[in-house]
Amino acid sequence: MRYLFILALLLSTLTPVGSQTRFPTHQISFNGFRNPSIGLEYQYNKTSLHAGYYVSNFEKDVTTEFVKVGVTEWFLPFGKKEHPSSFYSGASYIRGMTRDYKNTNSLGLETGVRWYVWKGLNFRLGVIALLSKDKETKINPTPSISYSIKL
C-alpha cells in the first residue's frame, strides 16, 4: 500500500504544467461525506486545502471521530465537462476525538479519483492510510459525495 501512495505522489508531480489550466483557478467544495472530511475545501488550480470532521470505522459498527485538515494535489484530469474529473493524492493532519484515538495526532495519506457526474456534483472513491505513533497503520476506503462551485 505504501508504494501506491508513493506512485500517486510521483504522478502528481509529473503532471504537465499546461494541464493545470483544465482545473478551476478558484473553486470551493462542500463535502458531505468522509472524503476528505465533512466540511469545506478550497481549490486553487491543482492544489486544494480542506478542513472538517472525519469519521472512520476501524471495527464493525464502531465509529471513531476525528478533526482533519490537509492538502490535496489533483492530477491527470479527464472528461469534457465544465469541471474535469481527475485523480488525487493528499496528506492530512488528523486529531482523534473519540475511542482509542482520543487526543491522538495522526498523519493521513490518501489517493483516489474524483468523478464529476453533473455540473458540480461529484463522487470520490479513494483509500486512506492512517499513521499514528504506537498504533497499527489503518487502511480504509474513503468514498464521498461533494458539490463544487467555481468562484
Side-chain angles (χ1 to χ4, degrees), residues 23-150:
F23 292 108
T25 303
H26 300 281
Q27 175 172 281
I28 191 160
S29 296
F30 303 93
N31 302 319
F33 194 55
R34 273 174 51 184
N35 187 348
S37 61
I38 301 167
L40 293 175
E41 183 171 24
Y42 170 73
Q43 183 174 341
Y44 175 75
N45 290 326
K46 65 177 203 154
T47 302
S48 64
L49 302 172
H50 61 83
Y53 171 74
Y54 178 74
V55 295
S56 196
N57 292 60
F58 301 128
E59 302 171 35
K60 186 177 180 183
D61 300 325
V62 178
T63 301
T64 305
E65 301 167 279
F66 302 89
V67 173
K68 184 177 178 193
V69 296
V71 63
T72 301
E73 284 293 312
W74 303 94
F75 56 95
L76 300 176
F78 61 92
K80 302 212 183 276
K81 295 187 169 131
E82 176 185 358
H83 297 263
S85 298
S86 63
F87 295 90
Y88 67 88
S89 62
S92 300
Y93 165 73
I94 302 173
R95 174 87 174 172
M97 297 169 47
T98 60
R99 313 237 184 258
D100 293 341
Y101 285 85
K102 186 170 182 150
N103 299 322
T104 299
N105 298 316
S106 302
L107 171 67
L109 300 174
E110 299 177 76
T111 191
V113 64
R114 172 174 64 183
W115 176 51
Y116 280 93
V117 293
W118 180 75
K119 296 193 181 197
L121 181 65
N122 63 85
F123 297 109
R124 292 187 205 185
L125 183 56
V127 62
I128 188 170
L130 183 69
L131 303 121
S132 306
K133 186 176 180 182
D134 300 326
K135 295 194 183 299
E136 180 181 319
T137 298
K138 301 288 186 180
I139 307 292
N140 279 319
T142 51
S144 80
I145 186 169
S146 300
Y147 194 85
S148 302
I149 301 169
K150 288 184 179 182

